[in-house]
Amino acid sequence: MLTELLKVDAEHPDPREIARAAEAVRRGELVAFPTETVYGLGADALNAAAVARIYEAKGRPERNPLIVHVPDAAAARELATWTQLADALAARFWPGPLTLVLPKRDIVPDVVTAGGSTVALRAPAHPVAQALLRAAGTPLAAPSANRSSGISATRAEHVLRALDGRIEIILDGGPTQGGIESTVLSLVDAQPRLLRPGLLNVEQIEAIIGPIARNKENDESSQSLPSPGMLTRHYAPKAALELALDDGYARALELVRSRHRVGWLRFAPADGVSKPFAIDRLRVYVMPRDPEGYAALLYDTLHALDAWGADHIVVDRPPMDDAWLAIRDRLTRAAAR
Ligand code: TXA
Ligand code: MG
């Protein structure tokens, strides 16, 4: 199969390119598209055969359900048993990087939910995603557009590298802005539960609906992971990634001296500017001190280090407060082997 790369303007995509992609979706084909978080790999969510092809293209375990993307809350209501809480959250955060898990309606094929009785729903904010959803006229099942357990794609090049020859179309709308995946929140039980921290900060959600239940951080027992996709070893670069508790520089140099190719993700100094630099077997990336800026660069940096052939990645440990929850989650998983 030939994978076609269609360049589109991120803000004002050409309706003709969108129409081509939408027709492909309606034929049951796979179309990767940018969202405000990461690139998604989309198929018609109401076409079970098309959705099955997503699992195949990604090498995704069959028990890991997919997020269904909709243009808005009205479209979401047709797919799930909607609640007042869902309404309040959608009114405040949609379109945006929040995924809501609710009891599914019969119209949603079992392959989408991995046989489960709930469905994950999200209205993405990206103009290209919105245009594609509206032109296709059908909800899109779309996991992140990477091979299973690889790093999510934040650029069309990453999608192409991972899925070339396995999918029909990639809509290239440039790099995604958010850089990490959406926050997944279950509304199935009386108390809302955080299934996956993500781009939308938990503090912002709690400001609207009060405290939400969470798993203990770094809890690795699979029984306590209600989101089956939250396998510990996930989001992993090819290199061995480790979190430096104190001095990342010393650790990075130690690895370089034992002849490794090393990437070091350090924090920008609090007072002043520091440029990224590279010497021989060491590449240093200066990461922003704010979680949004950090998230926007994290996967992009890991992809760049993989492409360079790093065999070790040392990452300065991020702060311990809630604003950094999603970043800590991704780094901890990337470090788990
Ligand atoms: O930002 C995002 O969420 C991106 C873009 C493309 O929208 N999508 C994404 O999809 O990250 P994926 O498949 O890589 O991650 C979906 C997560 C997985 O952890 C999956 O297990 C969980 O959502 N999930 C999906 N349906 C679920 C359900 N019914 N119950 C619990 N967890 C669910
Ligand atoms: Mg994923």
Side-chain angles (χ1 to χ4, degrees):
M1 177 196 312
L2 266 181
T3 300
E4 198 180 353
L5 196 69
L6 295 180
K7 286 219 188 288
V8 288
D9 188 273
E11 287 305 315
H12 302 285
D14 186 333
R16 285 167 301 184
E17 312 285 20
I18 295 295
R20 282 184 60 195
E23 279 156 27
V25 165
R26 285 197 296 265
R27 282 195 300 269
E29 296 178 356
L30 302 185
V31 175
F33 59 94
T35 80
E36 72 278 34
T37 60
V38 298
Y39 272 76
L41 176 57
D44 180 351
L46 305 182
N47 177 342
V51 174
R53 288 194 51 214
I54 293 180
Y55 288 85
E56 198 185 305
K58 286 194 55 139
R60 183 176 178 106
E62 276 167 30
R63 62 186 192 92
N64 189 359
L66 306 175
I67 296 176
V68 177
H69 296 66
V70 289
D72 52 30
R77 281 169 180 273
E78 303 190 3
L79 305 175
T81 311
W82 200 247
T83 64
Q84 270 188 352
L85 201 53
D87 235 13
L89 287 164
R92 175 67 184 77
F93 296 115
W94 278 10
L98 175 64
T99 295
L100 299 175
V101 174
L102 291 156
K104 87 174 188 80
R105 290 193 194 280
D106 290 342
I107 185 178
V108 180
D110 285 338
V111 61
V112 171
T113 63
S117 61
T118 62
V119 63
L121 297 165
R122 152 164 137 80
H126 197 291
V128 173
Q130 278 286 330
L132 179 63
L133 282 164
R134 290 180 194 276
T138 186
L140 288 173
S144 50
N146 49 281
R147 294 277 289 166
S148 186
S149 93
I151 310 165
S152 295
T154 55
R155 297 173 184 269
E157 301 89 280
H158 303 156
V159 182
L160 192 64
R161 220 181 287 151
L163 297 171
D164 193 13
R166 296 172 168 269
I167 67 179
E168 276 84 6
I169 292 179
I170 301 172
L171 286 173
D172 178 359
T176 62
Q177 288 190 346
I180 60 169
E181 302 84 352
S182 66
T183 304
V184 181
L185 187 71
S186 170
L187 300 181
V188 171
D189 299 322
Q191 192 186 15
R193 172 173 285 275
L194 181 69
L195 299 185
R196 176 179 75 181
L199 191 60
L200 180 67
N201 206 291
V202 280
E203 291 166 318
Q204 285 173 271
I205 303 173
E206 289 186 327
I208 305 287
I209 63 170
I212 57 186
R214 312 181 191 182
N215 289 334
K216 209 165 83 240
E217 229 177 310
N218 302 336
D219 190 343
E220 294 184 358
S221 73
S222 57
Q223 276 90 347
S224 66
L225 297 173
S227 211
M230 298 306 285
L231 310 170
T232 300
R233 206 177 118 34
H234 211 84
Y235 311 104
K238 290 185 205 113
L241 184 146
E242 59 187 273
L243 285 171
L245 295 186
D246 40 32
D247 193 352
Y249 184 55
R251 177 61 182 147
L253 278 189
E254 182 187 7
L255 286 162
V256 167
R257 286 200 192 98
S258 39
R259 313 211 59 80
H260 291 292
R261 276 165 93 86
V262 182
W264 175 32
L265 276 59
R266 62 162 300 187
F267 278 103
D271 50 352
V273 232
S274 158
K275 288 221 171 77
F277 70 95
I279 45 164
D280 290 339
R281 294 187 305 278
L282 175 64
R283 283 202 174 181
V284 182
Y285 288 83
V286 180
M287 302 299 284
R289 299 180 70 88
D290 66 293
E292 291 77 25
Y294 195 106
L297 292 181
L298 176 59
Y299 290 164
D300 214 41
T301 305
L302 297 181
H303 276 292
L305 283 169
D306 264 355
W308 173 60
D311 50 37
H312 278 78
I313 301 175
V314 178
V315 182
D316 284 0
R317 195 187 62 171
M320 289 306 290
D321 55 310
D322 269 358
W324 290 85
L325 184 64
I327 307 264
R328 284 199 304 278
D329 172 79
R330 301 305 189 273
L331 287 174
T332 309
R333 286 172 201 286
R337 310 231 135 195

